[in-house]
């Protein structure tokens, strides 16, 4: 195990190196993998060939790291044992329904110092890559949050695992802008509970809509411009859509380390004690004042 903070932890570094090293391969593979794979994941979603490919590349690279004890993926029912060490939880291709329309997607990473399922308080590091016009990676640990640009390393041989990529830090201390600017809320308006709808009406009169249908892409708008992202509780699905271990916790960890707040409607996402690996959670993240208002609005229900 590492130093349990994630900062300067060689295992955490190796995990993000591996994810960055695979990013160019995932990108290159996408054009031919926009089709359905013919299977469903444990959450009942259609798996695309791109999801499966990314999952397999990441599983191979991450389970080979000394100090990674388990690989857990949104696409796999159970954890894959890898020896002693951290549990790495991955959403291999978040927002992959954007593959058909050729919009942003990403890979979400959570490094937990505990067997899963475990609360987000056990995260030692978390982050995501974004396959936008540029491949970027946001990495958060106890020391803070940074943004890197990831590019294929032309000198990498690929003999020892992932092809290899260079990582250049472009912002070494990402913090949430004080003045919120954007919002993005998932789900259909008729499925939103009245209290959330009322909150949304207020927010949309104050901020600009930025919504693309991929959690990492939409959260990255908030990371960049300040504001609030939500995939709320729904009338018929009180737990919302997103998965706690693979999506909610890593994103909450990043936003909280940037000085923002996360909530499931009543408290920090990171405090939730999960029952199962594929538990879902309503997710609200962003500037603290907006999350406080959200909690007050839902409390009035
Ligand atoms: O991983 C689930 C996901 O693709 C998220 O990235 C995104 O926020 C959400 O689903 C969008 O779902 P829908 O289009 O069904 O509302
Ligand atoms: Mn996802």
């Amino acid at each position: 195990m590492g130093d349990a903070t994630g900062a300067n932890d060689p295992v955490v570094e190796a995990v993000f190196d591996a994810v960055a090293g695979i990013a160019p391969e995932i990108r290159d593979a996408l054009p031919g993998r926009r089709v359905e794979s013919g299977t469903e994941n444990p959450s009942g979603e259609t798996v695309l060939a791109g999801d499966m490919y990314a999952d397999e590349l990441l599983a191979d690279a991450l389970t080979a790291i000394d100090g990674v004890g388990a690989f857990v993926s949104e696409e796999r029912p159970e954890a894959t044992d890898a020896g002693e060490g951290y549990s790495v939880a991955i959403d291999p291709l978040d927002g992959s329904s954007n593959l058909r329309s050729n919009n942003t997607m990403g890979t979400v990473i959570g490094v937990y110092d505990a067997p899963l399922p475990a609360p987000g308080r056990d995260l030692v590091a978390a982050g995501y890559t974004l396959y936008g016009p540029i491949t970027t990676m946001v990495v958060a640990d106890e020391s803070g949050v940074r943004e890197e640009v990831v590019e294929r390393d032309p000198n990498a041989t690929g003999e020892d695992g992932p092809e290899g990529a260079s990582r250049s830090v472009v912002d070494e201390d990402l913090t949430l802008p004080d003045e919120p600017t954007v919002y993005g809320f998932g789900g259909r308006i008729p499925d939103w509970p009245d209290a959330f709808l009322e909150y949304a009406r207020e927010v949309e009169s104050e901020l600009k809509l930025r919504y693309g249908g991929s959690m990492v892409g939409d959260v990255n708008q908030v990371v960049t411009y300040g504001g609030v992202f939500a995939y709320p509780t729904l009338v018929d699905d009180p737990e919302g859509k997103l998965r706690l271990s693979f999506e909610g916790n890593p994103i909450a960890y990043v936003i909280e380390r940037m000085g923002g707040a996360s909530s499931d409607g009543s408290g920090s996402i990171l405090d939730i004690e999960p029952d199962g690996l594929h538990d879902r959670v309503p997710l609200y993240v962003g500037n603290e004042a907006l999350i406080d208002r959200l909690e007050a609005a839902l409390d009035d229900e």
Side-chain angles (χ1 to χ4, degrees):
M1 291 265 162
D3 62 3
T5 67
N8 302 315
D9 180 325
V11 179
V12 168
E13 266 310 292
V15 166
F16 283 95
D17 258 353
V19 173
I22 286 166
E25 282 185 74
I26 292 180
R27 282 199 88 111
D28 285 358
L30 294 178
R33 290 184 170 78
R34 299 166 82 178
V35 293
E36 294 181 5
S37 67
T39 58
E40 282 191 352
N41 72 13
S43 303
E45 295 167 339
T46 302
V47 176
L48 297 181
D51 293 303
M52 273 180 104
Y53 184 76
D55 174 73
E56 279 160 22
L57 280 183
L58 288 159
D60 287 351
L62 293 169
T63 54
I65 295 171
D66 262 354
V68 169
F71 172 79
V72 189
S73 159
E74 199 175 284
E75 310 302 346
R76 297 173 183 237
E78 310 288 345
T80 304
D81 184 32
E84 284 289 304
Y86 293 144
S87 302
V88 181
I90 296 281
D91 180 355
L93 213 47
D94 175 66
S96 58
S97 64
N98 272 358
L99 198 45
R100 279 182 64 197
S101 57
N102 189 23
N103 288 104
T104 299
M105 294 165 303
T107 297
V108 190
I109 308 112
V111 185
Y112 295 79
D113 190 11
L116 295 182
R121 292 287 167 212
D122 285 319
L123 283 165
V124 293
Y128 56 86
T129 54
L130 205 58
Y131 310 110
I134 304 163
T135 306
T136 52
M137 186 162 75
V138 167
V139 181
D141 59 28
E142 277 301 317
S143 69
V145 186
R146 58 187 188 272
E147 184 186 27
E148 304 177 4
V149 165
V150 175
E151 289 172 287
R152 181 186 293 283
D153 180 353
N155 300 315
T157 63
E159 279 164 16
D160 301 320
E163 287 291 324
S166 65
R167 298 170 54 187
S168 321
V169 176
V170 288
D171 190 334
E172 60 187 4
D173 185 22
L174 270 185
T175 52
L176 219 52
D178 290 336
E179 274 300 311
T181 309
V182 300
Y183 75 96
F185 298 152
R188 295 169 67 243
I189 292 173
D191 297 331
W192 291 349
D194 290 345
F196 182 74
L197 183 59
E198 225 169 279
Y199 171 77
R201 289 287 172 254
E202 275 183 30
V203 168
E204 68 195 20
S205 69
E206 298 166 20
L207 306 178
K208 273 195 295 197
L209 172 62
R210 288 287 175 94
Y211 188 76
S214 139
M215 181 197 66
V216 276
D218 295 327
V219 165
N220 201 58
Q221 296 272 5
V222 172
V223 162
T224 309
Y225 299 112
V228 55
F229 169 82
Y231 206 110
T233 182
L234 304 173
V235 172
D236 292 329
D237 290 300
E239 303 306 319
K241 175 167 190 194
L242 303 176
R243 269 66 34 133
L244 177 63
S245 299
F246 311 103
E247 297 168 316
N249 277 333
I251 292 304
Y253 184 92
V254 169
I255 296 284
E256 290 198 17
R257 287 293 173 281
M258 289 182 67
S262 80
S263 180
D264 64 351
S266 57
S268 169
I269 294 279
L270 301 177
D271 288 326
I272 299 171
E273 291 283 346
D275 294 322
L277 265 185
H278 297 274
D279 282 10
R280 296 180 191 265
V281 70
L283 177 74
Y284 311 89
V285 288
N287 288 73
E288 201 166 347
L290 285 160
I291 299 302
D292 287 348
R293 278 170 59 191
L294 175 273
E295 287 185 347
L298 298 192
D299 207 30
D300 288 346
E301 176 88 316

